[in-house]
Amino acid sequence: MTDFVERNERSEDTPEQETQMTTLERAQLLFDQDQAITDRVNQGAGLDDAIDPSNREFGPHASPEQVQMRVAKRALMLKEGIPAYPVHLDVTDRIEHVRAKYEGKLEAGEETEDVVGIAGRVLFVRNSGGLCFVQLSAGDGTAIQGMVSKKEVGADSLKLFKQLVDLGDHLYLRGRVIASKTGELSVFATEWAIAAKALQPLPALHKELSDEQRTRKPYLAMIADESTRNMVRQRSKVVSSLRRTFEQQDFLEVETPMLQTVHGGAAARPFTTHMNAFDIDLFLRIAPELFLKRCLVGGIERVFEINRDFRNEGVDGTHAPEFTMLEAYQAYGTYDTIGELTKQLIQQSAIDAFGSTKVTLLNGEEYDFGGEWKTMTMYGSLSEALGEEITPESSVEHLGAIANKLGVERDDVENHGKLVEHLWEHFYEDKLYEPTFVRDFPVETSPLVKGHRSKPGMVEKWDLYVRGFELATGYSELNDPVVQRERFIQQAKDAAAGDAEATDIDEDFLEALGVGMPPTGGMGMGIDRLLIALTGATIRETITFPLVKPLN
């Protein structure tokens, strides 16, 4: 008996000690239990005798009875020379193709001589006498019935089928396409094999998964929930649509570094790491902007990237620490031209993924991305909401007094621009339902944006709001290296004063900018947020594998 077993026996009266088992200890414990079950099967024990339902031997941290039984079946298969995880099976047809070809074309009881080889996950099995029924599901959720009879496969094979096949197994069937007596499209098997033995049971498929199960075990949600599978496919269609639209506009897709010596391109708190080879600290990318702009300097005049970004900030319905960002830059464009491109990208992705610019959200509401979109200015709309004119000359003291009166949250490190944006958000941020471009921002909060051509103290920037949240942002990009240095210096001063989101001075980027970057329009949009806008899902539902805090 292993030392892990002895440890469990010693701690029967002190259950709080059992929770202190390390990851390695538990992994070894589970392996030892699997091996003990396998040894008993190999020594001739039956399936029931090979397992320990009460876990007397290995304790409460070991596998439950259902898992033990499946481990015993795996062991029996190996003992009998039956592969539990074969390398190859003669799968000649996909379930969805078979259903599409024969659906509605066979009368009840009609049989064909067409032989197919299919495989899918077992979602239902009924073992009754000399004929067993099984429902196999393809990855997209398309299901088909399989029929395994004593007459076709023989008594010994049918006995093994009843003994070995569980819900969740991947099963291979080869046989004729028929319609059962009740009219169900079926494959009447002459041959079957387990393609992959499932050791963990599936959740109850007739019940909704909890949010905890969906988030921590998204692979279960993909099996059990059609909406989860659809989200994965919709996301893929949206990203493919974006790439096609860019290709039609002669944009090139590039890849920029995820590990950076200077974090920049956005106002955000970065994640840090350490590179042993160079013995230096590095930042995980918060935005690809400064590297994409280097591409423009190098002569790639239309460039985009769909990338992973990392921001060490809060987590809520529209924010995740790791997310997918789209950024694009067009030489000789402005925030006007890049705004038109952004609208085209979003409208076309809705058409390609959902068939129309009118989409149906998860709550059943219809939302229209079509037509022309509303525009408003930040200073103009704030002035209207306050009933007094707010300009770039409005003092920090006056804006701060207004913020205090309204109960607007104040930052530790403040300036005119931050106060203007906080006040604007107080009135508008979650209230802009239809697609709306909010234009012309304060210079203090936009260090990478070109000053407005006719409005001193403002920059040529827009934020796009959809359904009450920010979806994308666009700039007339700053390309004056002297002004850019000035902006970087101010950001560095803000960082020294305690602003965790302020960027550092990137001398290499300033040198590149000095070589000459043409006038440029640029945009950024979160792919996860785009899926939120198109579907009404939360950010965790749009991300296939969201980051969650470990339970242990």
Side-chain angles (χ1 to χ4, degrees), residues 323-386:
F323 59 98
T324 304
M325 175 66 80
L326 161 67
E327 290 202 18
Y329 297 88
Q330 179 179 346
Y332 304 104
T334 66
Y335 75 150
D336 296 310
T337 56
I338 207 72
E340 282 298 313
L341 175 63
T342 302
K343 183 177 70 171
Q344 181 183 351
L345 288 164
I346 295 171
Q347 291 178 339
Q348 191 61 49
S349 67
I351 292 170
D352 289 343
F354 302 95
S356 171
T357 57
K358 289 184 179 180
V359 298
T360 302
L361 307 178
L362 292 179
N363 63 4
E365 293 181 13
E366 189 176 82
Y367 189 89
D368 191 0
F369 285 94
E372 292 301 315
W373 291 354
K374 182 180 176 181
T375 64
M376 62 194 298
T377 65
M378 175 163 284
Y379 281 93
S381 58
L382 178 58
S383 298
E384 183 179 339
L386 288 173

Side-chain angles (χ1 to χ4, degrees), residues 533-547:
L534 291 168
T535 65
T538 66
I539 194 166
R540 283 194 172 187
E541 290 170 328
T542 69
I543 297 174
T544 308
F545 295 98
L547 179 66

Side-chain angles (χ1 to χ4, degrees), residues 158-272:
L158 184 65
K159 180 181 178 181
L160 281 174
F161 181 90
K162 293 179 178 181
Q163 189 175 38
L164 298 177
V165 175
D166 290 303
L167 295 183
D169 289 351
H170 286 273
L171 185 69
Y172 166 78
L173 296 178
R174 182 173 180 81
R176 292 179 294 111
V177 178
I178 69 168
S180 69
K181 292 180 180 180
T182 61
E184 182 69 27
L185 183 65
S186 307
V187 173
F188 197 54
T190 56
E191 178 184 346
W192 69 271
I194 290 179
K197 183 65 188 170
L199 301 186
Q200 295 289 335
L202 295 178
L205 299 180
H206 61 280
K207 296 181 180 180
E208 280 198 23
L209 295 180
S210 67
D211 290 339
E212 183 79 0
Q213 286 176 306
R214 290 175 185 275
T215 303
R216 294 191 177 277
K217 300 178 179 179
Y219 47 88
L220 293 182
M222 293 178 204
I223 296 170
D225 184 8
E226 183 180 7
S227 66
T228 301
R229 293 192 298 271
N230 286 343
M231 181 62 71
V232 176
R233 289 175 171 80
Q234 288 161 358
R235 186 183 181 104
S236 179
K237 288 180 180 179
V238 166
V239 172
S240 295
S241 173
L242 296 171
R243 285 194 163 101
R244 281 195 301 272
T245 301
F246 277 123
E247 184 177 3
Q248 291 164 4
Q249 298 284 344
D250 295 326
F251 278 75
L252 292 180
E253 183 174 10
V254 300
E255 295 176 336
T256 61
M258 284 192 182
L259 293 175
Q260 301 179 354
T261 56
V262 179
H263 70 91
R269 186 192 299 265
F271 286 95
T272 59

Side-chain angles (χ1 to χ4, degrees), residues 23-40:
T23 302
L24 174 59
E25 287 176 327
R26 179 142 196 274
Q28 184 67 57
L29 173 69
L30 295 176
F31 177 79
D32 290 344
Q33 184 183 40
D34 292 347
Q35 195 59 50
I37 292 171
T38 301
D39 289 345
R40 287 194 282 270

Side-chain angles (χ1 to χ4, degrees), residues 339-512:
E340 282 298 313
L341 175 63
T342 302
K343 183 177 70 171
Q344 181 183 351
L345 288 164
I346 295 171
Q347 291 178 339
Q348 191 61 49
S349 67
I351 292 170
D352 289 343
F354 302 95
S356 171
T357 57
K358 289 184 179 180
V359 298
T360 302
L361 307 178
L362 292 179
N363 63 4
E365 293 181 13
E366 189 176 82
Y367 189 89
D368 191 0
F369 285 94
E372 292 301 315
W373 291 354
K374 182 180 176 181
T375 64
M376 62 194 298
T377 65
M378 175 163 284
Y379 281 93
S381 58
L382 178 58
S383 298
E384 183 179 339
L386 288 173
E388 66 171 281
E389 187 176 10
I390 302 297
T391 72
E393 286 73 42
S394 298
S395 69
V396 170
E397 292 74 20
H398 180 58
L399 294 171
I402 296 174
N404 291 338
K405 182 179 178 180
L406 294 172
V408 174
E409 184 178 349
R410 303 283 296 275
D411 288 340
D412 294 333
V413 180
E414 284 187 326
N415 55 40
H416 167 93
K418 285 192 173 185
L419 282 166
V420 167
E421 290 196 13
H422 286 329
L423 288 169
W424 183 89
E425 289 166 358
H426 172 76
F427 288 106
Y428 291 103
E429 183 176 36
D430 59 354
K431 299 176 179 64
L432 299 179
Y433 188 76
E434 64 180 293
T436 304
F437 286 110
V438 182
R439 294 162 59 92
D440 304 340
F441 279 61
V443 66
E444 293 89 348
T445 55
S446 308
L448 297 167
V449 188
K450 184 170 285 188
H452 199 285
R453 67 196 84 170
S454 62
K455 300 176 182 178
M458 302 184 200
V459 294
E460 295 197 351
K461 170 186 173 180
W462 53 255
D463 279 351
L464 173 62
Y465 281 82
V466 170
R467 294 182 44 242
F469 65 91
E470 180 192 338
L471 173 57
T473 189
Y475 303 164
S476 293
E477 300 293 341
L478 178 59
N479 62 340
D480 184 334
V482 175
V483 176
Q484 183 65 80
R485 183 179 296 279
E486 179 185 19
R487 302 267 185 90
F488 275 162
I489 289 172
Q490 183 58 52
Q491 285 281 300
K493 289 178 179 178
D494 289 345
D499 188 345
E501 293 186 347
T503 58
D504 204 349
I505 298 172
D506 190 334
E507 285 292 346
D508 182 76
F509 174 69
L510 289 170
E511 184 176 340

